[in-house]
Short mmCIF file of all heavy atoms in Angstrom, two decimals:
data_model
loop_
_atom_site.label_atom_id
_atom_site.label_comp_id
_atom_site.label_asym_id
_atom_site.label_seq_id
_atom_site.Cartn_x
_atom_site.Cartn_y
_atom_site.Cartn_z
N PRO V 523 8.75 2.30 -10.92
CA PRO V 523 8.73 3.51 -10.10
C PRO V 523 7.38 3.82 -9.45
O PRO V 523 7.33 4.26 -8.30
CB PRO V 523 9.14 4.63 -11.07
CG PRO V 523 9.98 3.92 -12.08
CD PRO V 523 9.37 2.56 -12.23
N PHE V 524 6.27 3.56 -10.14
CA PHE V 524 4.97 3.85 -9.54
C PHE V 524 4.69 2.94 -8.35
O PHE V 524 4.03 3.35 -7.39
CB PHE V 524 3.83 3.81 -10.58
CG PHE V 524 3.49 2.45 -11.12
CD1 PHE V 524 2.53 1.66 -10.52
CD2 PHE V 524 4.10 1.99 -12.28
CE1 PHE V 524 2.20 0.41 -11.03
CE2 PHE V 524 3.77 0.75 -12.81
CZ PHE V 524 2.83 -0.05 -12.19
N GLU V 525 5.21 1.70 -8.37
CA GLU V 525 5.05 0.79 -7.23
C GLU V 525 5.98 1.22 -6.08
O GLU V 525 5.61 1.13 -4.92
CB GLU V 525 5.35 -0.65 -7.63
CG GLU V 525 4.34 -1.27 -8.57
CD GLU V 525 2.99 -1.61 -7.94
OE1 GLU V 525 2.73 -1.28 -6.75
OE2 GLU V 525 2.18 -2.21 -8.65
N GLN V 526 7.18 1.68 -6.42
CA GLN V 526 8.10 2.19 -5.40
C GLN V 526 7.45 3.37 -4.68
O GLN V 526 7.45 3.43 -3.44
CB GLN V 526 9.41 2.66 -6.03
CG GLN V 526 10.25 1.57 -6.63
CD GLN V 526 11.45 2.12 -7.38
OE1 GLN V 526 11.98 3.19 -7.05
NE2 GLN V 526 11.89 1.41 -8.40
N LYS V 527 6.92 4.30 -5.45
CA LYS V 527 6.29 5.50 -4.87
C LYS V 527 5.11 5.10 -3.98
O LYS V 527 4.94 5.62 -2.88
CB LYS V 527 5.85 6.46 -5.97
CG LYS V 527 5.23 7.74 -5.46
CD LYS V 527 6.25 8.61 -4.75
CE LYS V 527 5.65 9.97 -4.40
NZ LYS V 527 6.64 10.88 -3.87
N HIS V 528 4.30 4.14 -4.46
CA HIS V 528 3.18 3.66 -3.65
C HIS V 528 3.68 3.12 -2.31
O HIS V 528 3.12 3.45 -1.25
CB HIS V 528 2.42 2.56 -4.42
CG HIS V 528 1.48 1.76 -3.57
ND1 HIS V 528 0.30 2.28 -3.07
CD2 HIS V 528 1.57 0.50 -3.10
CE1 HIS V 528 -0.30 1.35 -2.34
NE2 HIS V 528 0.44 0.27 -2.35
N ALA V 529 4.76 2.34 -2.34
CA ALA V 529 5.29 1.76 -1.10
C ALA V 529 5.80 2.85 -0.15
O ALA V 529 5.59 2.77 1.07
CB ALA V 529 6.41 0.77 -1.42
N VAL V 530 6.45 3.87 -0.69
CA VAL V 530 6.93 4.98 0.14
C VAL V 530 5.74 5.70 0.78
O VAL V 530 5.75 6.00 1.98
CB VAL V 530 7.80 5.96 -0.68
CG1 VAL V 530 8.05 7.25 0.08
CG2 VAL V 530 9.13 5.30 -1.06
N VAL V 531 4.71 5.95 -0.02
CA VAL V 531 3.51 6.63 0.50
C VAL V 531 2.86 5.78 1.59
O VAL V 531 2.49 6.30 2.66
CB VAL V 531 2.51 6.94 -0.64
CG1 VAL V 531 1.16 7.37 -0.10
CG2 VAL V 531 3.09 8.00 -1.57
N VAL V 532 2.73 4.48 1.37
CA VAL V 532 2.14 3.59 2.36
C VAL V 532 2.98 3.60 3.64
O VAL V 532 2.44 3.73 4.75
CB VAL V 532 1.99 2.15 1.81
CG1 VAL V 532 1.67 1.15 2.92
CG2 VAL V 532 0.90 2.11 0.74
N ALA V 533 4.30 3.49 3.52
CA ALA V 533 5.17 3.49 4.71
C ALA V 533 5.04 4.79 5.49
O ALA V 533 4.96 4.78 6.73
CB ALA V 533 6.62 3.25 4.28
N GLU V 534 5.01 5.90 4.78
CA GLU V 534 4.88 7.20 5.47
C GLU V 534 3.53 7.34 6.14
O GLU V 534 3.44 7.86 7.26
CB GLU V 534 5.12 8.34 4.49
CG GLU V 534 6.59 8.45 4.07
CD GLU V 534 6.85 9.48 2.99
OE1 GLU V 534 5.91 9.86 2.24
OE2 GLU V 534 8.02 9.93 2.89
N LYS V 535 2.48 6.88 5.49
CA LYS V 535 1.15 6.94 6.11
C LYS V 535 1.08 6.05 7.34
O LYS V 535 0.49 6.44 8.35
CB LYS V 535 0.07 6.54 5.10
CG LYS V 535 -0.21 7.61 4.09
CD LYS V 535 -1.35 7.22 3.19
CE LYS V 535 -1.63 8.36 2.22
NZ LYS V 535 -2.86 8.14 1.45
N MET V 536 1.66 4.86 7.24
CA MET V 536 1.67 3.96 8.39
C MET V 536 2.37 4.63 9.57
O MET V 536 1.87 4.56 10.70
CB MET V 536 2.36 2.63 8.04
CG MET V 536 1.58 1.75 7.08
SD MET V 536 2.52 0.32 6.52
CE MET V 536 2.56 -0.68 8.01
N ALA V 537 3.49 5.26 9.31
CA ALA V 537 4.23 5.94 10.37
C ALA V 537 3.39 7.06 10.97
O ALA V 537 3.37 7.25 12.20
CB ALA V 537 5.55 6.49 9.83
N GLY V 538 2.68 7.78 10.13
CA GLY V 538 1.81 8.86 10.62
C GLY V 538 0.67 8.32 11.47
O GLY V 538 0.36 8.87 12.52
N PHE V 539 0.05 7.23 11.02
CA PHE V 539 -1.06 6.64 11.77
C PHE V 539 -0.59 6.11 13.13
O PHE V 539 -1.34 6.11 14.09
CB PHE V 539 -1.70 5.47 11.00
CG PHE V 539 -2.38 5.85 9.72
CD1 PHE V 539 -2.51 4.91 8.70
CD2 PHE V 539 -2.92 7.11 9.50
CE1 PHE V 539 -3.15 5.23 7.51
CE2 PHE V 539 -3.57 7.44 8.31
CZ PHE V 539 -3.67 6.49 7.32
N ALA V 540 0.67 5.64 13.19
CA ALA V 540 1.18 5.02 14.42
C ALA V 540 1.85 6.00 15.37
O ALA V 540 2.28 5.61 16.45
CB ALA V 540 2.18 3.92 14.04
N LYS V 541 1.90 7.26 14.97
CA LYS V 541 2.57 8.26 15.82
C LYS V 541 1.95 8.23 17.23
O LYS V 541 0.75 8.27 17.39
CB LYS V 541 2.39 9.65 15.21
CG LYS V 541 3.50 10.59 15.59
CD LYS V 541 3.46 11.83 14.73
CE LYS V 541 4.84 12.07 14.23
NZ LYS V 541 5.13 12.01 12.88
N GLY V 542 2.81 8.12 18.21
CA GLY V 542 2.34 8.09 19.59
C GLY V 542 1.98 6.69 20.10
O GLY V 542 1.68 6.53 21.27
N MET V 543 2.01 5.70 19.24
CA MET V 543 1.71 4.32 19.67
C MET V 543 3.01 3.71 20.18
O MET V 543 3.85 3.30 19.39
CB MET V 543 1.12 3.51 18.52
CG MET V 543 -0.21 4.01 18.02
SD MET V 543 -0.79 3.12 16.53
CE MET V 543 -1.36 1.60 17.26
N LYS V 544 3.16 3.64 21.49
CA LYS V 544 4.41 3.18 22.08
C LYS V 544 4.71 1.71 21.81
O LYS V 544 5.87 1.30 21.81
CB LYS V 544 4.39 3.45 23.58
CG LYS V 544 4.45 4.94 23.91
CD LYS V 544 4.48 5.15 25.40
CE LYS V 544 4.58 6.55 25.89
NZ LYS V 544 4.26 7.65 25.12
N SER V 545 3.68 0.91 21.56
CA SER V 545 3.89 -0.53 21.35
C SER V 545 4.35 -0.85 19.93
O SER V 545 4.65 -2.00 19.63
CB SER V 545 2.59 -1.29 21.64
OG SER V 545 1.59 -0.89 20.73
N VAL V 546 4.42 0.15 19.07
CA VAL V 546 4.77 -0.08 17.67
C VAL V 546 6.23 0.27 17.41
O VAL V 546 6.69 1.36 17.76
CB VAL V 546 3.85 0.75 16.73
CG1 VAL V 546 4.31 0.67 15.30
CG2 VAL V 546 2.41 0.28 16.86
N ASP V 547 6.94 -0.67 16.82
CA ASP V 547 8.33 -0.46 16.40
C ASP V 547 8.29 0.29 15.07
O ASP V 547 7.95 -0.28 14.03
CB ASP V 547 9.01 -1.82 16.26
CG ASP V 547 10.45 -1.74 15.76
OD1 ASP V 547 10.84 -0.71 15.16
OD2 ASP V 547 11.18 -2.74 15.94
N GLN V 548 8.60 1.59 15.10
CA GLN V 548 8.50 2.44 13.91
C GLN V 548 9.36 1.92 12.75
O GLN V 548 8.93 1.95 11.61
CB GLN V 548 8.91 3.88 14.25
CG GLN V 548 7.86 4.64 15.03
CD GLN V 548 6.69 5.08 14.16
OE1 GLN V 548 6.84 5.44 13.01
NE2 GLN V 548 5.50 5.02 14.73
N ARG V 549 10.54 1.45 13.04
CA ARG V 549 11.43 0.95 11.98
C ARG V 549 10.81 -0.27 11.29
O ARG V 549 10.79 -0.36 10.07
CB ARG V 549 12.80 0.62 12.56
CG ARG V 549 13.79 0.21 11.49
CD ARG V 549 15.23 0.26 12.01
NE ARG V 549 16.16 -0.07 10.95
CZ ARG V 549 16.56 0.78 10.01
NH1 ARG V 549 16.12 2.01 10.01
NH2 ARG V 549 17.40 0.39 9.07
N LYS V 550 10.32 -1.20 12.08
CA LYS V 550 9.67 -2.39 11.52
C LYS V 550 8.45 -1.99 10.70
O LYS V 550 8.22 -2.49 9.60
CB LYS V 550 9.25 -3.35 12.64
CG LYS V 550 8.46 -4.55 12.14
CD LYS V 550 7.94 -5.39 13.28
CE LYS V 550 6.96 -6.41 12.77
NZ LYS V 550 6.32 -7.17 13.84
N LEU V 551 7.68 -1.07 11.22
CA LEU V 551 6.47 -0.61 10.55
C LEU V 551 6.78 -0.01 9.17
O LEU V 551 6.15 -0.35 8.17
CB LEU V 551 5.78 0.44 11.43
CG LEU V 551 4.46 0.98 10.92
CD1 LEU V 551 3.36 -0.01 11.19
CD2 LEU V 551 4.16 2.31 11.60
N ILE V 552 7.78 0.85 9.13
CA ILE V 552 8.16 1.50 7.87
C ILE V 552 8.72 0.46 6.89
O ILE V 552 8.39 0.47 5.70
CB ILE V 552 9.15 2.65 8.13
CG1 ILE V 552 8.40 3.79 8.82
CG2 ILE V 552 9.81 3.12 6.83
CD1 ILE V 552 9.28 4.89 9.37
N ARG V 553 9.52 -0.47 7.39
CA ARG V 553 10.06 -1.51 6.52
C ARG V 553 8.94 -2.37 5.94
O ARG V 553 8.97 -2.71 4.76
CB ARG V 553 11.07 -2.36 7.30
CG ARG V 553 12.35 -1.59 7.62
CD ARG V 553 13.27 -2.29 8.62
NE ARG V 553 13.36 -3.73 8.47
CZ ARG V 553 14.03 -4.36 7.51
NH1 ARG V 553 14.65 -3.67 6.59
NH2 ARG V 553 14.07 -5.67 7.48
N LEU V 554 7.94 -2.68 6.74
CA LEU V 554 6.79 -3.44 6.25
C LEU V 554 6.07 -2.65 5.15
O LEU V 554 5.71 -3.21 4.11
CB LEU V 554 5.82 -3.77 7.39
CG LEU V 554 4.52 -4.48 6.98
CD1 LEU V 554 4.81 -5.81 6.30
CD2 LEU V 554 3.63 -4.67 8.21
N GLY V 555 5.88 -1.37 5.37
CA GLY V 555 5.24 -0.54 4.35
C GLY V 555 6.02 -0.53 3.05
O GLY V 555 5.45 -0.60 1.96
N LEU V 556 7.33 -0.45 3.15
CA LEU V 556 8.17 -0.43 1.96
C LEU V 556 8.20 -1.78 1.23
O LEU V 556 8.30 -1.83 0.01
CB LEU V 556 9.60 -0.02 2.32
CG LEU V 556 9.79 1.43 2.76
CD1 LEU V 556 11.19 1.64 3.32
CD2 LEU V 556 9.51 2.40 1.61
N LEU V 557 8.09 -2.87 1.98
CA LEU V 557 8.26 -4.20 1.40
C LEU V 557 6.95 -4.94 1.14
O LEU V 557 6.98 -6.04 0.57
CB LEU V 557 9.15 -5.05 2.32
CG LEU V 557 10.58 -4.54 2.51
CD1 LEU V 557 11.29 -5.32 3.62
CD2 LEU V 557 11.35 -4.61 1.20
N HIS V 558 5.81 -4.39 1.50
CA HIS V 558 4.57 -5.15 1.44
C HIS V 558 4.20 -5.65 0.05
O HIS V 558 3.58 -6.69 -0.09
CB HIS V 558 3.41 -4.36 2.06
CG HIS V 558 2.84 -3.29 1.19
ND1 HIS V 558 3.46 -2.06 1.02
CD2 HIS V 558 1.72 -3.26 0.44
CE1 HIS V 558 2.73 -1.32 0.21
NE2 HIS V 558 1.67 -2.02 -0.16
N ASP V 559 4.56 -4.96 -1.00
CA ASP V 559 4.23 -5.36 -2.37
C ASP V 559 5.45 -5.87 -3.14
O ASP V 559 5.43 -5.95 -4.37
CB ASP V 559 3.62 -4.19 -3.14
CG ASP V 559 2.15 -3.98 -2.85
OD1 ASP V 559 1.49 -4.91 -2.31
OD2 ASP V 559 1.63 -2.89 -3.16
N ILE V 560 6.50 -6.27 -2.45
CA ILE V 560 7.76 -6.63 -3.10
C ILE V 560 7.60 -7.81 -4.06
O ILE V 560 8.33 -7.93 -5.04
CB ILE V 560 8.87 -6.88 -2.05
CG1 ILE V 560 10.24 -6.63 -2.65
CG2 ILE V 560 8.76 -8.26 -1.43
CD1 ILE V 560 10.51 -5.19 -2.97
N GLY V 561 6.61 -8.66 -3.83
CA GLY V 561 6.36 -9.79 -4.72
C GLY V 561 6.01 -9.37 -6.14
O GLY V 561 6.20 -10.13 -7.09
N LYS V 562 5.54 -8.15 -6.29
CA LYS V 562 5.20 -7.65 -7.62
C LYS V 562 6.45 -7.46 -8.49
O LYS V 562 6.34 -7.30 -9.70
CB LYS V 562 4.42 -6.34 -7.52
CG LYS V 562 3.04 -6.53 -6.93
CD LYS V 562 2.30 -5.22 -6.80
CE LYS V 562 0.92 -5.43 -6.20
NZ LYS V 562 0.21 -4.15 -6.04
#
């Protein structure tokens, strides 16, 4: 659960940082944030 929560926080922060960036696919960005540590 602590790794899940970390991934959610990372995905939400990424989305916040990218707000207004038209070249960024928000869905892909959030999915990357959620999956970045999946190897753990």
Side-chain angles (χ1 to χ4, degrees):
F524 70 91
E525 292 287 6
Q526 293 173 29
K527 182 68 173 187
H528 165 71
V530 168
V531 168
V532 167
E534 289 175 338
K535 285 184 178 189
M536 290 172 72
F539 295 154
K541 207 167 228 116
M543 296 174 77
K544 291 182 178 19
S545 64
V546 172
D547 177 340
Q548 285 285 323
R549 185 165 183 79
K550 175 186 170 186
L551 183 79
I552 290 169
R553 290 169 39 74
L554 176 60
L556 291 170
L557 297 171
H558 78 282
D559 279 343
I560 206 69
K562 292 178 181 179

